Each structure stands twice: as structure tokens, then as C-alpha cells.
Amino acid sequence: QVQLVEYGGGSVQAGGSRRLSCAASGNRLSHYVIGWYRQAPGKQRELVANISADGSTNYADFAKGRFTISRDNAGNPVYLVMNSLKPEDTAVYYCNAHHTIFRNDYWGQGTQVTVSS
């Protein structure tokens, strides 16, 4: 079992920045890839970025160059720094833990990010 809690959502003006945090608790967290997903109204949930236990990262095209995912030296929490935010980045952002062997997923409750123009 893995529990995930997201922090840092809120409202920001276009062009601004926001940092989201995901605090994970549970057993054998090193077996999980931690990712950030988002879901805008009327749209499917989509991957933003993820990070493996070895620090390797993966970004969606829209996130490249604007968003950075990282993790503390202890591996937890996982951060998502979002720069140059656009109104289309408005969404609920979810933290996800994906087991690399058993492929089961855990989700946080989500945190709303609203970007105003």
C-alpha cells in the first residue's frame, strides 16, 4: 500500500510559476515510479512527468522546457515545478505511484491548479 498526498495547488496568473509536492508513504517506495498527471474538465487524464527511483525522468511534450520533476535526496517528496504557466495548464493535478514489476497504481486525491489570463 502506498499513500500519496499532494500539496501546492492554487491560482496563478499566466506566466507565473507553481510548485507542487507529493508526499508518499508506504513500503518499498523504491519499487515505484512516481508521476504527476493532470485532468482538465471534459478531458482525459494525461501524464505530465514521472521520475524513477534512479532519478531518470520522462516528460510529456507540453511539459518539456517548462516543468521540472525532481525528488528529495531521500526520494520523497516528489516535486513538480511549473514555470511559464498557461491557462491551458488549468487542471486537477494528481500524484501517481506505479509499481515497476506488478504494475499496480496508487493515486493521490488531486490538487487544483488554475491559471488565469
Side-chain angles (χ1 to χ4, degrees):
Q1 285 281 352
V2 174
Q3 293 79 41
L4 303 168
V5 180
E6 301 101 334
Y7 301 93
S11 297
V12 61
Q13 289 193 328
S17 299
R18 200 79 186 179
R19 187 180 82 162
L20 305 181
S21 302
C22 173
S25 59
N27 294 327
R28 301 187 179 183
L29 293 177
S30 62
H31 291 186
Y32 290 86
V33 174
I34 304 298
W36 284 96
Y37 287 72
R38 71 183 188 183
Q39 188 167 19
K43 295 189 177 182
Q44 289 189 329
R45 193 172 296 189
E46 61 181 352
L47 174 69
V48 178
N50 58 31
I51 185 166
S52 302
D54 64 1
S56 58
T57 58
N58 178 49
Y59 292 91
D61 286 344
F62 66 80
K64 291 177 181 176
R66 297 193 300 131
F67 296 1
T68 302
I69 191 169
S70 63
R71 58 201 311 167
D72 198 355
N73 287 338
N76 188 26
V78 172
Y79 303 105
L80 181 70
V81 175
M82 304 182 292
N83 297 317
S84 302
L85 283 163
K86 307 173 182 180
E88 51 264 43
D89 294 318
T90 295
V92 178
Y93 284 73
Y94 296 91
C95 186
N96 166 270
H98 177 75
H99 198 285
T100 56
I101 298 174
F102 299 117
R103 300 195 175 278
N104 51 311
D105 289 277
Y106 296 93
W107 294 92
Q109 80 285 356
T111 186
Q112 176 71 46
V113 174
T114 301
V115 184
S116 58
S117 58

